[in-house]
Amino acid sequence: MRLGVLDVGSNTVHLLVVDAHPGARPLPAHSHKAELRLAQLLDDSGAIGPDGIDRLIGVVHESLQAAEDKGVEEVLPFATSAVRDARNADDVLARVRAETGVELQVLTGAEEARLTFLAARRWFGWSAGKLLVLDIGGGSLEIAYGIDEEPDAAASLPLGAGRLTAGWLPGDPPAPDDVRALRRHVRTEIARTVGEFSRFGAPDHVVATSKTFKQLARIAGAARSAEGLYVQRELKRESLEGWVPRLSGMTEAERAELPGVSEGRAGQLLAGALVAEAALDLFGVERVEICPWALREGVILRRLDHMESA
């Protein structure tokens, strides 16, 4: 069947269309996305304003039309931290439902981490052993660890690249004092969770997903996306530590000129790099392998599993 996953994320609203059936690898057929940066549209009270809701509804309408045009049989709609953490989340969901007919499922941070872990486990297989999975989104950082398809530990921290950029790095380029303050904040937050994972022992394989990690790996020398999904890509902590001070001194326009960095993501790349550097350092990781699959694929795989069991 042809499935569509409608991901209302903190940076983008992304419709991924795949051809799938139980027991088979989902094959991407179409992608439709729009950058809304909901994580950066929150007002001082933490609510998504009327303009942001109107734009979200418009993009959902466009995504539904794209799904219809591509012959999608079922759309799986969900929202992550930007909607989850908004003070007026219930109002946002009600308006989307009333004006589009879409019932957005708001995932908890732990659900995000578990579904992303499932996708990474299916991609790398059982031979990867104990997996540690890191995912930096626009609104949150997800961490999961385990040896099965369900992680033994999963955590979600409010350390998304978009959220941190909006709240901590107002300058372009940012002031050194602001960068240092954000670095301290990020490391304090991550350090609080390390013990929850370290009690399970060292992982056999460390995996990173998300656009932020992919872009950081690309500027550090990883293969271009045009070279295909099956090219191994990794990010070394040593390379990342060399890039953080360089990114700190760049303007948003200068970052946008780096290989693999999109204009829409350039502004939040530094915050993402600070989170990535802190996570690798505090978890004692020298390198991470980039996984092409992440949350959207996890949602698809879970749906296919339910179909098969039914």
Side-chain angles (χ1 to χ4, degrees):
M1 66 184 301
R2 179 159 279 194
L3 289 174
V5 177
L6 181 59
D7 175 3
V8 178
S10 299
N11 283 314
T12 61
V13 177
H14 188 173
L15 172 72
L16 176 65
V17 177
V18 299
D19 292 320
H21 65 268
R25 175 174 60 93
L27 296 173
H30 179 69
S31 178
H32 176 87
K33 65 176 70 175
E35 287 195 354
L36 284 187
R37 304 187 195 181
L38 286 176
Q40 300 179 43
L41 291 178
L42 300 178
D43 61 25
D44 292 339
S45 70
I48 299 174
D51 180 59
I53 300 174
D54 289 341
R55 289 164 60 188
L56 172 58
I57 289 170
V59 174
V60 171
H61 275 301
E62 292 173 9
S63 300
L64 292 176
Q65 185 60 58
E68 180 182 323
D69 292 344
K70 297 300 178 182
V72 170
E73 297 179 48
E74 181 182 359
V75 175
L76 309 173
F78 67 90
T80 55
S81 64
V83 173
R84 178 173 70 236
D85 298 336
R87 187 179 58 81
N88 60 337
D90 290 342
D91 293 338
V92 173
L93 296 172
R95 275 202 59 193
V96 170
R97 180 172 58 249
E99 298 188 34
T100 69
V102 170
E103 185 85 42
L104 285 174
Q105 177 190 1
V106 180
L107 300 179
T108 67
E111 286 172 334
E112 279 192 62
R114 287 196 293 268
L115 288 166
T116 302
F117 184 89
L118 171 63
R121 169 60 73 196
R122 293 281 178 91
W123 181 267
F124 288 105
W126 298 113
S127 63
K130 293 178 288 187
L131 282 180
L132 174 64
V133 179
L134 306 171
D135 182 1
I136 302 171
S140 58
L141 163 69
E142 272 68 52
I143 309 166
Y145 175 101
I147 196 167
D148 297 318
E149 290 198 337
E150 184 70 19
D152 295 313
S156 178
L157 306 177
L159 298 177
R163 181 198 298 270
L164 295 178
T165 300
W168 292 79
L169 300 176
D172 186 27
D177 286 348
D178 290 339
V179 175
R180 283 193 292 271
L182 176 56
R183 184 180 187 274
R184 286 194 298 271
H185 170 70
V186 166
R187 286 173 175 262
T188 299
E189 291 295 311
I190 294 175
R192 290 173 179 161
T193 70
V194 171
E196 180 182 347
F197 294 86
S198 60
R199 65 191 178 90
F200 292 103
D204 299 309
H205 200 65
V206 185
V207 173
T209 72
S210 76
K211 194 72 170 179
T212 293
F213 269 115
K214 289 176 183 177
Q215 291 186 340
L216 291 170
R218 178 71 185 98
I219 66 174
R224 297 175 298 119
S225 59
E227 295 182 39
L229 289 178
Y230 302 107
V231 176
Q232 184 176 358
R233 296 172 176 87
E234 66 176 22
L235 174 63
K236 296 179 180 178
R237 189 172 88 198
E238 182 181 9
S239 298
L240 186 56
E241 289 171 345
W243 268 102
V244 167
R246 294 172 64 182
L247 293 171
S248 299
M250 291 181 176
T251 64
E252 182 174 339
E254 288 170 336
R255 291 186 213 127
E257 295 178 357
L258 294 171
V261 178
S262 64
E263 184 177 348
R265 301 271 183 155
Q268 62 188 47
L269 187 62
L270 172 59
L274 289 167
V275 174
E277 180 191 35
L280 268 58
D281 185 15
L282 292 168
F283 279 96
V285 175
E286 295 299 326
R287 66 184 68 201
V288 293
E289 185 170 357
I290 306 301
C291 180
W293 282 4
L295 177 59
R296 284 182 290 273
E297 288 78 10
V299 171
I300 292 167
L301 292 166
R302 181 59 52 81
R303 177 71 181 95
L304 293 175
D305 288 348
H306 288 165
M307 288 173 58
E308 190 169 27
S309 63

